[in-house]
Amino acid sequence: MAQSDPDLSEFFELGIWAQRARKMKPCPLGDVMKTLNKKDTSVLLAAFDSGQVKPGWIVSWCSRRGAQGLSPTHIVNHRKGVCRCVLGD
Ligand SMILES: [Zn+2]
């Protein structure tokens, strides 16, 4: 009687997540948003959704509100959803 192969799919699933987490870029935007008030947060979220707002503009906007060390690349990654914000850490 042939024994069915043990199911390893859970390991592969974990591997995919570990791989994704490694590829995900660290992102300071989550921390920036924690420091913003409600109004600024909604403005920023709208800016992310708007294709007309350039990443550099968002960097300037954030630095006016005290956020240092942001780069347009952070904005681009955040928009694409390839930053760690989506993993919730
Ligand atoms: Zn992010």
Side-chain angles (χ1 to χ4, degrees):
M1 204 162 53
Q3 234 175 353
S4 63
D5 288 335
D7 180 12
L8 297 177
S9 63
E10 189 178 342
F11 288 101
F12 293 122
E13 219 170 277
L14 288 169
I16 289 165
W17 273 103
Q19 219 173 22
R20 278 185 74 174
R22 256 205 315 278
K23 268 195 231 157
M24 294 280 182
K25 315 279 189 300
C27 182
L29 278 161
D31 291 332
V32 171
M33 280 192 270
K34 276 179 218 153
T35 68
L36 297 174
N37 62 33
K38 247 184 161 174
K39 183 178 150 264
D40 280 348
T41 304
S42 56
V43 170
L44 183 60
L45 290 175
F48 279 128
D49 287 341
S50 164
Q52 289 176 308
V53 179
K54 301 271 182 287
W57 306 351
I58 296 179
V59 172
S60 306
W61 186 93
C62 289
S63 71
R64 276 188 174 172
R65 281 152 185 81
Q68 302 303 317
L70 278 178
S71 80
T73 311
H74 291 135
I75 312 297
V76 171
N77 288 331
H78 189 84
R79 268 185 167 152
K80 282 195 287 193
V82 293
C83 64
R84 293 212 170 137
C85 297
V86 280
L87 294 177
D89 66 9

